[in-house]
Amino acid sequence: MSNADCVIAIDAGTTGVRSRAVFTGDDTTVAAYREFTQHYPHPGWVEHDAEEIWAAVVETLNEVVEAVGHERIAAIGITNQRETVVAWSRATGTPYGNAIVWQDRRTAHVCDELAEAGHLDMVRERTGLVLDPYFSGTKFAWMLENRDIPDVDTPAGPGADATPDLALGTIDAWLIWNLTGGHVFATDVTNASRTMLCDIRSRTWDPELCDLLGVPIESLPEIVPSSGRIGITSEKCGVPAGIPISGVAGDQQAALFGQACVEPGMAKNTYGTGSFVLLNVGENCPEPTEGMLTTVAWTLADGTTHYALEGAIFATGAAIQWLRDGIEIIDDASETGPLAESVSDTGGVYLVPAFAGLGSPYWDPYARGAIVGITRGTGRAELARATVESMAYQVRDVIDAMVKASGTPIVDLRVDGGAAVMDLLCRLQADQLGVSVLRPVEQETTALGAAFLAGLAEGVWGSTDDIAAAWTLDARFDPAEDRAGADALHEQWLRAVDRSRSWES
């Protein structure tokens, strides 16, 4: 391992897979990316082909390994879209239908029924979550009820022991299982904490929650730390064998770690398909907080666990994708910023991108997208600017609720993700929050966090102090001294949100 000076991060996101080599020195980044197909079989349903995701991992990982050289690779770290679920056969490796994606809303009525039956308080206390179809538990239950899945008592193969054939997991578990040739069936604690089946204090599967949702606990993966050797790549998996898999975290927890928010009170926001604000609250799990989620931030190899408050926004980058693919007013996402800056304001137009309901702090699965304030003078530029402004407004909604609930003001906000490259968005965000927005040099903090977690386990980085030292500021955006204008715009935004809520019956 003396020549091993890099970690490969596999970032299995919502729209594609990126494999990237993260070096300890000043080497140029090596990365490969593949998009995969989005399936929308019914309104409100979103699915992925798990085998297509795996194929993208194989292609990108092989491309990066070939470019870097096997001997230089100390470990693999994995980060992934979190609540998306897969069911598959351990005997054949074949999924039972498509993966159900975190954006999918098909189980909203199940969550309503659970709330009406009085289960919300128990779910919030044990999981830190709310009853919403966003999370994995009701998705697993839907698969078990509606797909041709064998009984859990079916063994994994002829002569097999009591191990059930049925495997139920999030994308990280699916990738670990494939990378190890089916030898390791595991998920890390951050992904487990998003399933609505895990007690986040004991960090174990909760039998009562599993029984409530009808999910067989014996078909769920082993819960392991976010940093620590989980397994090694197998010669059966189609990628070079013998590479340790030593770090795993859901994408937003990985971004928190990659942003070096390693101390309590530090916060970040990632502008991805959705946006996610996480505040590190330290080693003590807080009580449930209105409008916010409580989640496991990470568990290191020595058992040290940090928790986070999280605000989840379902559609920010997805709104830009809609401008491109839905109404086709741009050809490429990179056009959004310049187009939005070509006008000084939206002319009173507000876009509420509740395409799949609203997340934090509203948790309204029946909200739908709305555009209000259109006049004959509204054009492409106003719609583009309204889309960018909607990102800043939604993040303010979350942080306002987070600060109110926790009593802890956020001193500044570290930002990353694709849209963070837009100076306009960062300026708008600073004005709306009234605090400085800090953009690091390294924007792919999700992959970076996965690499850091894996590298810590293998000694590539010695401590979280080394991680903090690696964070470098690119640009600082300070808010305008006069908040009156920003506050007035936000008040109008809240009126637009009210019009989008409870639209779907």
Side-chain angles (χ1 to χ4, degrees):
M1 298 292 288
S2 59
N3 294 325
D5 63 346
C6 85
V7 177
I8 295 182
I10 300 171
D11 184 354
T14 305
T15 57
V17 171
R18 183 182 306 277
S19 292
R20 177 188 168 190
V22 176
F23 297 91
T24 58
D26 296 325
D27 297 71
T28 302
T29 295
V30 177
Y33 179 75
R34 300 287 188 281
E35 282 195 2
F36 51 76
T37 309
Q38 308 294 306
H39 299 275
Y40 306 100
H42 300 286
W45 292 28
V46 189
E47 297 182 351
H48 292 156
D49 182 338
E51 292 186 302
E52 186 181 3
I53 294 174
W54 170 239
V57 169
V58 171
E59 290 177 12
T60 58
L61 184 56
N62 278 330
E63 189 174 323
V64 172
V65 170
E66 182 177 354
V68 171
H70 191 301
E71 71 284 352
R72 297 187 66 182
I73 301 167
I76 289 172
I78 297 171
T79 183
N80 58 287
Q81 49 168 316
R82 296 176 296 180
E83 297 80 7
T84 298
V85 299
V86 187
W88 72 93
S89 164
R90 296 197 211 191
T92 66
T94 302
Y96 293 110
N98 280 343
I100 300 179
V101 180
W102 61 270
Q103 299 161 309
D104 190 282
R105 313 305 288 169
R106 75 186 67 183
T107 62
H109 69 286
V110 176
C111 295
D112 290 344
E113 291 166 2
L114 290 168
E116 289 167 5
H119 297 297
L120 176 58
D121 288 345
M122 189 255 296
V123 168
R124 289 192 68 197
E125 175 63 28
R126 296 192 191 176
T127 70
L129 309 177
V130 295
L131 283 168
D132 191 271
Y134 172 36
F135 305 108
S136 308
T138 57
K139 301 181 195 296
F140 284 136
W142 189 94
M143 283 181 164
L144 292 166
E145 185 174 343
N146 292 278
R147 291 183 177 169
D148 187 16
I149 293 176
D151 188 85
V152 69
D153 293 332
T154 304
D161 57 19
T163 301
D165 180 64
L166 175 62
L168 300 171
T170 43
I171 294 296
D172 63 310
W174 167 246
L175 298 185
I176 292 167
W177 191 86
N178 278 286
L179 284 166
T180 61
H183 291 299
V184 178
F185 182 41
T187 187
D188 99 293
V189 64
T190 69
N191 281 288
S193 75
R194 309 298 295 188
T195 60
M196 211 162 70
L197 300 170
C198 175
D199 184 321
I200 60 172
R201 289 173 177 80
S202 66
R203 300 181 295 283
T204 59
W205 299 122
D206 187 284
E208 187 175 357
L209 288 169
C210 290
D211 288 345
L212 177 66
L213 295 177
V215 176
I217 199 168
E218 57 268 41
S219 289
L220 296 172
E222 176 189 2
I223 300 175
V224 299
S226 313
S227 181
R229 187 175 294 194
I230 299 166
I232 59 172
T233 56
S234 166
E235 69 279 357
K236 300 177 183 179
C237 73
V239 303
I243 303 174
I245 304 163
S246 302
V248 182
D251 50 10
Q252 302 313 317
Q253 290 95 328
L256 186 71
F257 203 74
Q259 280 278 34
C261 295
V262 295
E263 297 295 334
M266 302 182 75
K268 72 89 194 173
N269 180 53
T270 297
Y271 301 98
T273 304
S275 280
F276 299 86
V277 183
L278 269 72
L279 171 66
N280 185 334
V281 295
E283 296 185 43
N284 295 318
C285 182
E287 293 301 311
T289 303
E290 189 65 33
M292 294 296 107
L293 307 176
T294 305
T295 195
V296 178
W298 54 73
T299 297
L300 301 182
D302 63 3
T304 300
T305 298
H306 277 219
Y307 292 89
L309 284 181
E310 174 174 335
I313 302 164
F314 292 158
T316 49
I320 292 177
Q321 293 172 340
W322 178 72
L323 294 181
R324 182 191 66 189
D325 303 330
I327 59 174
E328 300 181 350
I329 68 169
I330 57 172
D331 294 321
D332 189 87
S334 63
E335 298 172 24
T336 307
L339 182 59
E341 287 205 86
S342 70
V343 291
S344 60
D345 57 57
T346 68
V349 175
Y350 289 82
L351 167 68
V352 183
F355 304 130
L358 289 170
S360 301
Y362 305 102
W363 294 109
D364 182 354
Y366 301 109
R368 289 296 179 266
I371 304 174
V372 299
I374 293 176
T375 68
R376 184 61 184 84
T378 300
R380 294 170 59 246
E382 286 78 14
L383 286 173
R385 189 177 182 98
T387 302
V388 175
E389 289 187 0
S390 75
M391 300 182 190
Y393 295 140
Q394 289 182 98
V395 171
R396 174 172 174 172
D397 290 347
V398 166
I399 290 182
D400 282 354
M402 188 177 285
V403 170
K404 180 179 178 181
S406 67
T408 303
I410 294 177
V411 177
D412 53 42
L413 182 70
R414 297 186 177 193
V415 297
D416 57 74
V421 301
M422 286 191 283
D423 288 355
L424 172 64
L425 174 59
C426 293
R427 292 196 305 270
L428 291 169
Q429 193 69 83
D431 288 343
Q432 283 296 318
L433 296 178
V435 299
S436 297
V437 169
L438 309 181
R439 185 174 66 198
V441 171
E442 176 55 70
Q443 281 293 293
E444 292 182 9
T445 56
T446 303
L448 193 63
F452 283 158
L453 288 165
L456 275 178
E458 299 296 333
V460 177
W461 291 278
S463 67
T464 55
D465 290 340
D466 293 340
I467 304 303
W471 190 90
T472 307
L473 179 69
D474 170 57
R476 178 188 183 101
F477 301 87
D478 295 320
E481 292 185 11
D482 183 4
R483 296 292 308 284
D487 288 344
L489 291 171
H490 185 252
E491 284 297 322
Q492 285 288 87
W493 158 259
L494 294 177
R495 292 181 63 205
V497 170
D498 284 344
R499 283 154 174 77
S500 76
R501 297 198 60 189
S502 301
W503 185 264
E504 186 74 15
S505 60

